[in-house]
Amino acid sequence: MAKCGACGPGYATPLDAMKGPREEIVYVPCIYRNTGIEKPDYLATVDVDPGSPHYCQVIHRLPVPNLKDELHHSGWNACSSCFGDATKRRNRLILPSLISSRIYVVDVGTDSRAPRIHKIVEPVELFWKGNVANPHTAHCLGSGDILISCLGDPAGNGKGGFVLLDGETFEVKGNWENGEKVPPLGYDFWYQPRHNVLMSTEWGAPKALANGFDPADIERGLYGRHINVWDWSTHTYIQAIDLGKGSVPLEIRFLHNPDAAEGFVGCGLSSAVHRFYKTEKGDWAAEKVIEVPSKKVQGWLLPDMPGLITDILISLDDRFLYFSNWLHGDIRQYDISDRRRPRLVGQVFLGGSITNGGAVTVVEDKELQSQPEPFVIQGKRVPGGPQMIQLSLDGKRLYVTNSLYSGWDKQFYPELVKEGSVMLQIDVDTERGGLKANKNFLVDFGKEPGGPVLAHEIRYPGGDCTSDIWV
């Protein structure tokens, strides 16, 4: 929390946030759906304080009261967008369930180390009041309400709509969007009020992606290809920026500077990062600035294996961009001082589908001379590939988990579902660039009391560079 007389939650600016306290605990949703273990998902509280006797341990588990929800991402009831409002507190974590369409509101204010359920928004509320389903990203608004993007309608078709929750009662107020026009697909979003814009992305139709990935669904138009542009003040859908068939734009991040009229989006299937920006005439455009070449392989689902860029984030000083290649198995760090020409300055392999001695043989590779060795830490060979990432406020530590989504984990990394996820920590060189795994840090979710579990997004109690938006 900011050290000042009458301030709301978070920090006045992104650079103030960089001077915030070191993280001591993190919240991580843990998923049992598709693992064969008939237990509810839960929110894990993990101790990440090197001075603590419980370092690298799960110190609390909050099980939700239903099975097969598929907890996924999380957001806040209040963040730095409410910094000027001293009546607001960051004390409720919003946990949308990707598959059941339930939304759990979790009280982390009473005891941050032992969260408890505050309220449950049942799926029928989203269905009736918004005709939407499969909620994904939650961001708090400066108004005090909570905006949540959705993937579909109640029948499992794609629909890029939104739902608004009241920031006090957590009642569903209805849709955020106005007008008849809604994008055919939804996923993530970010907003930048100073440019009167919200940008959303497109993963796929829930009925297509729910149980796994079928490449034929790209041809059927069931996977995304657009950044969708919304007028912030009128809540209307005004433009679609086409990034190409089969691109599948996922996480979208404006630069943190609230005056910036540009940002980056990671495309999963085309494994490209596009810079989006405001043009001189006032609309928006995008250009490809990074491309991870596919590898020609044998012994895999397809003859060409994409990197599969899944998560992407920007350091609070807008200097570095990080992303994970879930299939190739590496995390990359780019210097984005020149926004149009990102420069690769750090890379680390943490598993993936092309490790030496595995089932896949790489027959042609435009980047590597040889297949990377499996990643082993504290005697454990890590299954799966790096997926969700979270950066410390000062930019020096990058946390990583390796579950994408249980239905796809099961298909691409069956051993991950059997053995459970890990959380790792990467040391970041913020001077010259560079990434190195911290061999002393391992949270092994394969050893959980209820059996091996899939761990997903990472949140800090005081906000972080993927939860907070400055207005």
Side-chain angles (χ1 to χ4, degrees), residues 1-13 16-17 78-90 140-143 468-471:
M1 297 291 277
K3 301 281 190 290
C4 72
C7 293
Y11 303 89
T13 69
D16 285 345
C79 74
S80 295
S81 65
C82 304
F83 180 74
D85 184 348
T87 67
K88 298 279 187 284
R89 282 181 65 219
R90 188 195 307 261
C140 41
L141 306 183
S143 66
D468 280 37
I469 294 178
W470 281 267
V471 297

Side-chain angles (χ1 to χ4, degrees), residues 217-238:
D217 284 336
I218 295 165
E219 297 301 324
R220 296 182 189 119
L222 296 174
Y223 280 94
R225 58 187 291 173
H226 301 101
I227 301 175
N228 295 307
V229 184
W230 301 78
D231 182 297
W232 177 246
S233 51
T234 64
H235 306 186
T236 49
Y237 174 39
I238 52 173

Side-chain angles (χ1 to χ4, degrees), residues 264-267 270-275 287-293 309 312 321-323 325 332-336 339-344 367:
F264 297 90
V265 62
C267 294
S270 61
S271 299
V273 175
H274 294 253
R275 168 184 169 258
E287 59 180 348
K288 189 189 295 182
V289 291
I290 301 169
E291 186 161 26
V292 176
I309 295 176
I312 170 173
L321 177 145
Y322 300 85
F323 65 76
N325 281 309
R332 301 186 182 206
Q333 176 192 21
Y334 286 81
D335 185 319
I336 52 167
R339 311 291 185 212
R340 299 191 67 184
R341 288 171 194 80
R343 195 165 51 85
L344 181 63
E367 292 185 319

Side-chain angles (χ1 to χ4, degrees), residues 43-120:
L43 183 69
T45 306
V46 183
D47 188 323
V48 295
D49 175 4
S52 161
H54 305 294
Y55 183 53
C56 289
Q57 291 174 20
V58 177
I59 57 170
H60 185 267
R61 298 168 186 87
L62 172 67
V64 294
N66 298 282
L67 293 174
K68 299 182 170 45
D69 277 312
E70 189 93 32
L71 297 181
H72 196 62
H73 285 225
S74 62
W76 291 108
N77 65 320
C79 74
S80 295
S81 65
C82 304
F83 180 74
D85 184 348
T87 67
K88 298 279 187 284
R89 282 181 65 219
R90 188 195 307 261
N91 58 2
R92 302 285 184 263
L93 187 68
I94 313 300
L95 275 177
S97 305
L98 190 63
I99 293 300
S100 71
S101 298
R102 246 178 226 100
I103 299 169
Y104 294 99
V105 180
V106 176
D107 171 4
V108 296
T110 306
D111 183 349
S112 63
R113 290 173 175 266
R116 57 192 78 175
I117 300 245
H118 173 71
K119 183 182 168 97
I120 302 172

